Amino acid sequence: MNPIPVTVVTGFLGSGKTTLLSNLLRDVHDRRLAVIVNEFGEVSIDGALLRERPHGEHVAFFDLPGGLVAYGEQDAFAPTLRALMERRHSIDHVLIETSGLAVPTAVFVVLESEEFRDHFTLDATLAVVDTPLLLSGDLTGTEEGVRAGVASVFRQQLEFADVVVLNKIDGLDDDVLLSTEETLRALAPNVRFVETAYEAKLDTKLTLGLHLHANTRVAAHAHSPASSAPGVNDAPLADQRALDGHSHGDLGMHVHSLSTHEHFHQHDPAWQSFRLRSDDVQDARTLHGAIRTVSQEFPLLRAKGFARLGAGRVTIQAVRTRVDAREDDSHVHGPSELIFIGYHPRRKQVAARLTELTGTAWA
Ligand SMILES: Nc1nc2c(ncn2[C@@H]2O[C@H](COP(=O)(O)OP(=O)(O)OP(=O)(O)O)[C@@H](O)[C@H]2O)c(=O)[nH]1
């Protein structure tokens, strides 16, 4: 049997990976998909959101919360792949959403290991970019601390991508997009294709079945203004098998190994996530404002979760200080739960401040 193609969707915290996947799952009805969702936080918010949005009939979800996928021996990634191998006859394609803090090399290493290399084949790695955040300079800072931490993860995600997807471009004009592509190519000269995704929508033909890790070259697509033409340093692909399953214009530069990956993780333990809960009924507007305030006052880069209202619930999505709060009629079973991710994020102080700002208890 042919190996199952795997598409890895990477991208910094809050760049729009889940939204992009959700749009894709709504549009793909002709393929049987397995979707593995890895989140840095201990609760799978993205998995829950994907399940409740419209998707084709033949989609199976696997949540891997609480860390970075494919790190360490206790990791659930290999067991998930084994489970997929057992249902090989009912899966056409695997999609993996990695955590916003992961560099996808560890996934490549597992897929290329002796146990899995005959059963799975890497189709392509997409890196989703929050374009306004890139333009703000917040993804490329060099000074110590949070900005350097962000820049390091972002750079590595670009480095290992076959396709970079410029997302959140609604409202940006063509000149801005062109200069963004230049910025991006300067940061990551080996990126082969740059695509644009208006409102996190990407043509399925540009997402699945790209064979970027095979010997064939993908024909250039005509997209303006950020075109998907190969990058300047692009070169014909060589046989990937001997190269740890990873392809780039400049293949020699990239050698994947778990030690590279662990090295990265060990050296930046400052990235942490924590969960806060509340049994009290929340007011959506107050919570919205409170989350914006704590995101300004503390080094938080991401907050997400569901909170219980008098009637219905509010879904919170915050990327930096941009907070989105959407209300609907669904029930929150159990307490309200929010996941915060930051760089030295200071759980106790955030809980105290959120409690003060909302007039409800968060712990
Ligand atoms: N304006 C705009 N907002 C977007 C777009 N794509 C995603 N968003 C918003 O950005 C926020 C984060 O989106 P997600 O899809 O959850 O991002 P993610 O990359 O999966 O986040 P993590 O898994 O936490 O790293 C949400 O509030 C989305 O609604 C887009 O194209 N345009």
Side-chain angles (χ1 to χ4, degrees):
M1 223 168 185
N2 289 334
I4 313 176
V6 178
T7 298
V8 176
V9 181
T10 179
F12 194 67
L13 290 171
S15 55
K17 299 177 290 297
T18 308
T19 314
L20 198 109
L21 267 181
S22 164
N23 289 333
L24 181 78
L25 297 181
R26 190 195 50 206
D27 295 341
V28 179
H29 292 277
D30 59 339
R31 261 173 277 201
R32 297 163 302 172
L33 302 174
V35 182
I36 300 176
V37 184
N38 173 230
E39 283 184 75
F40 194 66
E42 55 202 289
V43 185
S44 185
I45 307 290
D46 294 350
L49 285 171
L50 282 172
R51 280 180 182 82
E52 63 182 42
R53 288 182 189 154
H55 55 79
E57 226 179 291
H58 304 291
V59 183
F61 295 98
F62 299 84
D63 294 322
L64 306 182
L68 300 179
V69 72
Y71 279 89
E73 285 171 14
Q74 302 305 314
D75 182 71
F77 185 49
T80 305
L81 292 180
R82 283 182 205 117
L84 296 182
M85 277 155 61
E86 280 173 23
R87 6 190 331 190
R88 169 69 189 98
H89 56 282
S90 58
I91 298 168
D92 298 321
H93 204 108
V94 177
L95 286 155
I96 302 175
E97 178 186 341
T98 62
S99 131
L101 293 174
V103 178
T105 43
V107 170
F108 303 157
V109 171
V110 175
L111 291 175
E112 276 296 304
S113 66
E114 212 177 323
E115 180 179 6
F116 298 116
R117 62 187 306 157
D118 292 335
H119 301 277
F120 297 93
T121 180
L122 201 52
D123 186 32
T125 300
L126 314 183
V128 184
V129 173
D130 184 329
T131 309
L133 205 59
L134 175 65
L135 288 170
S136 74
D138 280 2
L139 291 170
T140 50
T142 50
E143 61 264 45
E144 287 299 294
V146 60
R147 281 171 64 107
V150 169
S152 155
V153 176
F154 179 66
R155 242 192 343 265
Q156 292 182 73
Q157 289 176 338
L158 289 186
E159 186 186 344
F160 295 110
D162 298 302
V163 182
V164 171
V165 181
L166 293 178
N167 193 34
K168 304 195 185 181
I169 57 174
D170 23 302
L172 298 182
D173 66 32
D174 288 2
D175 289 345
V176 173
L177 278 178
L178 275 173
S179 74
T180 310
E181 186 176 3
E182 274 169 32
T183 307
L184 197 91
R185 291 212 183 272
L187 274 173
N190 294 314
V191 163
R192 301 183 62 225
F193 298 97
V194 177
E195 299 291 352
T196 47
Y198 287 87
E199 295 175 342
K201 291 188 196 98
L202 198 60
D203 190 324
T204 54
K205 288 195 283 305
L206 303 180
T207 320
L208 303 179
L210 293 179
H211 304 298
L212 284 179
H213 284 258
N215 289 337
T216 49
R217 231 175 202 287
V218 175
H221 318 282
H223 280 273
S224 125
S227 78
S228 44
V232 279
N233 293 350
D234 203 15
L237 294 178
D239 181 0
Q240 305 306 308
R241 287 244 142 189
L243 289 156
D244 245 346
H246 184 48
S247 75
H248 274 291
D250 191 353
L251 292 161
M253 278 174 64
H254 305 287
V255 179
H256 302 161
S257 73
L258 273 177
S259 58
T260 316
H261 215 45
E262 278 161 7
H263 178 79
F264 154 72
H265 197 198
Q266 275 161 15
H267 278 77
D268 215 343
W271 288 111
Q272 281 158 25
S273 78
F274 59 86
R275 166 170 54 182
L276 294 183
R277 285 178 162 155
S278 176
D279 288 319
D280 300 332
V281 165
Q282 301 294 315
D283 174 70
R285 279 188 64 162
T286 309
L287 186 61
H288 181 278
I291 290 178
R292 185 159 39 214
T293 303
V294 292
S295 301
Q296 279 160 350
E297 292 178 355
F298 297 92
L300 299 170
L301 288 117
R302 189 83 171 96
K304 53 186 168 179
F306 304 103
R308 193 151 52 88
L309 305 175
R313 70 167 185 187
V314 57
T315 303
I316 297 290
Q317 287 278 7
V319 181
R320 292 286 176 102
T321 51
R322 281 201 315 261
V323 184
D324 186 28
R326 272 181 217 181
E327 295 176 50
D328 65 44
D329 296 335
S330 311
H331 290 289
V332 173
H333 302 287
S336 301
E337 274 191 339
L338 294 173
I339 297 292
F340 293 87
I341 302 172
Y343 202 79
H344 289 305
R346 299 204 263 165
R347 182 184 194 286
K348 259 174 98 172
Q349 287 96 323
V350 174
R353 189 75 173 116
L354 201 61
T355 298
E356 182 187 330
L357 290 163
T358 59
T360 61
W362 285 92

